[in-house]
Amino acid sequence: MTVDDFEKIYGAEELQESDIRHKVMIIKINKLYQKGMTEDVLYDSVRGIWRASLERVKKVDYVFGVYNSLIVAVYKPTTWYVCKEALEKLPKHVTQLTSKTENRVFFVDEGFENHELMDEAEKFYLYKSIASLKVNQSAQNPITYLEPRE
């Protein structure tokens, strides 16, 4: 089933600010997402490589892959890497690094890679809409961070 089909049939429940109970990194993958892509290709598309601060991303509990405001993937990063320091772990679509990309970051979700079941938070966030959240949908930067309200 495609994301469009899912939205049409079920309608996506909108995530509210009060629903955010973890430190979250939202990554818009509108240009990377394709109907019918495998779970592994989706994973590689979301996990990197991104221009972000390693210190900041290490504080993230979950990463959302978002396509047209719909959360299509939720991952729990186990480890974050700088590209040039972990060449053997790079996402499959990264074939070579340049001076612009060697310091970008990516993550590994060992739970996903080991085919473990999703935890309750991952299940809760998946297939929700972020349309009502204060996230600039038209911004050039594909990355947004959200934190729970105190």
Side-chain angles (χ1 to χ4, degrees):
M1 179 181 305
T2 68
V3 172
D4 292 334
D5 293 340
F6 187 92
E7 285 182 310
K8 287 176 189 168
I9 294 169
Y10 301 106
E13 181 182 338
E14 291 204 5
L15 205 57
Q16 304 299 318
E17 283 187 47
S18 59
D19 293 328
I20 304 295
R21 298 192 180 106
H22 303 89
K23 293 179 181 177
V24 173
M25 179 179 185
I26 294 173
I27 301 175
K28 293 183 293 187
I29 57 167
N30 294 340
K31 293 179 181 173
L32 299 172
Y33 186 83
Q34 296 176 354
K35 293 179 182 181
M37 66 194 312
T38 67
E39 290 295 319
D40 289 338
V41 173
L42 178 60
Y43 171 63
D44 271 347
S45 297
V46 174
R47 73 187 189 104
I49 55 178
W50 305 109
R51 194 169 75 192
S53 158
L54 186 61
E55 289 71 38
R56 183 149 191 201
V57 297
K58 281 184 173 182
K59 296 175 185 171
V60 167
D61 299 314
Y62 293 95
V63 174
F64 297 169
V66 174
Y67 173 71
N68 289 342
S69 298
L70 186 70
I71 301 169
V72 295
V74 180
Y75 302 106
K76 189 173 185 176
T78 311
T79 311
W80 284 90
Y81 297 97
V82 174
C83 291
K84 67 182 178 186
E85 297 170 3
L87 298 174
E88 73 286 355
K89 296 183 185 302
L90 283 169
K92 291 174 183 64
H93 68 277
V94 180
T95 54
Q96 68 181 41
L97 295 176
T98 66
S99 59
K100 288 184 178 182
T101 60
E102 66 182 6
N103 290 312
R104 292 185 179 194
V105 298
F106 68 96
F107 68 87
V108 169
D109 176 344
E110 290 178 6
F112 175 84
E113 291 188 6
N114 293 327
H115 308 287
E116 294 174 10
L117 296 176
M118 297 177 87
D119 68 23
E120 291 304 311
E122 289 170 303
K123 290 179 197 173
F124 173 78
Y125 292 124
L126 190 62
Y127 300 124
K128 297 267 188 343
S129 170
I130 64 164
S132 65
L133 295 179
K134 291 180 179 139
V135 175
N136 186 349
Q137 294 294 329
S138 61
Q140 288 288 353
N141 187 351
I143 297 171
T144 304
Y145 299 93
L146 294 176
E147 294 196 12
R149 285 187 171 172
E150 296 283 326

